[in-house]
Amino acid sequence: MATISDVARLAGLSVSTVSRVINKSPHVSDKKREAVESAMNELGYVPLPAARQLRGSRTNTMAVTIPRIVNPFFSYLVDAIEQELDEAGYSTLIVQTFGRAEEELTALNLLKNQQVDGVILCSLENDWSVINGYCKYGKIVLVNEYLKDVDVPIIRGDQYDGFYTATNFLFDNGYKKIAYATGRKTITIMKKESNFDADRFAGFQSSLSDHNLGFNYDWLFTNAHTAEDGKEIFKKIMTLKNKPDVVIAGSDEVAMGISQEAEKQGIKVPERLGVLGVDDQPASANLRIPLTTIKQPVDEMGRKAARAMLGLINGEEVSKMQICKLKVIKRASA
């Protein structure tokens, strides 16, 4: 495999001159540039991304981390990010973490090794104390995260207001016994530190409190991510002596599973059990019983994240906290 030294020897130039050509420095004569490019073509030399990096140069590539691309929320989020970056002339490298901290570090090490110009993190797998150590290597933007007192832009939905409004919507439509499903294994309300699920659950509980109701923890279902999880939630609800009359399902996928299992068992939605999804995935409007859902501003969040990253790269002032509104989309399931 040819090296940069091989290119320099064949071109009859110094390694530093070859490096300047590779990094598109304007301070190289056309004659020397042509000699280097000819030598590279003859040797089949392709520069490694890290080798191209001199101070002030760019890869025109961004890394974006997501848990799983098959999750519609993240696939649409990535689509919005990538469209915005593409319009600015950047390529996007998608890193699926599968919920593993070490995979997130793989993306951050691309930044450390100067193989990307920035990293957009859409779901944190490491503590901020770990991630913060990579800020010195380049630009980092967070999406859909709820950290406080961090010196990077965060683009997120207003989960508290969204779930407060959605719970009020259920009360306004006659529901009184509201179950709650979440993807987290546990739910903890922390007064000093906000987070994604804590904000959601706090908004939900605030609405209950405004209606002089407490929450029945028999109606809390955790670690719910898929339609299969939704089916299991429905089965558990059917075993309860005191059953809820509606479920905030945590995601459209979980909501679809609940509705499918209800239909299978002859339980009418929404007459006997209302179902409220989250995300407003395209499929949710096309079900036999179209899904009432909380619409997340995915496209807005993705484009704002990309614009924030581009602003940082270009040395602009970028707002550290950008909050997008959620809204209830009323259909037939609740």
Side-chain angles (χ1 to χ4, degrees), residues 139-206:
K139 308 303 182 184
I140 293 175
V141 170
L142 306 183
V143 186
N144 206 39
E145 288 294 339
Y146 296 78
L147 302 178
K148 291 183 177 179
D149 302 321
V150 299
D151 195 31
V152 301
I154 298 177
I155 290 81
R156 65 176 181 85
D158 191 341
Q159 303 295 329
Y160 177 94
D161 179 74
F163 274 67
Y164 178 84
T165 300
T167 308
N168 283 344
F169 163 84
L170 294 177
F171 282 116
D172 291 344
N173 281 272
Y175 296 102
K176 302 295 182 186
K177 301 163 66 176
I178 306 174
Y180 185 94
T182 175
R184 295 296 173 97
K185 293 180 180 179
T186 59
I187 283 287
T188 303
I189 301 298
M190 296 174 289
K191 294 183 179 180
K192 291 185 178 180
E193 183 177 353
S194 176
N195 68 50
F196 179 79
D197 277 285
D199 277 9
R200 286 183 165 191
F201 197 61
F204 165 65
Q205 286 199 311
S206 289

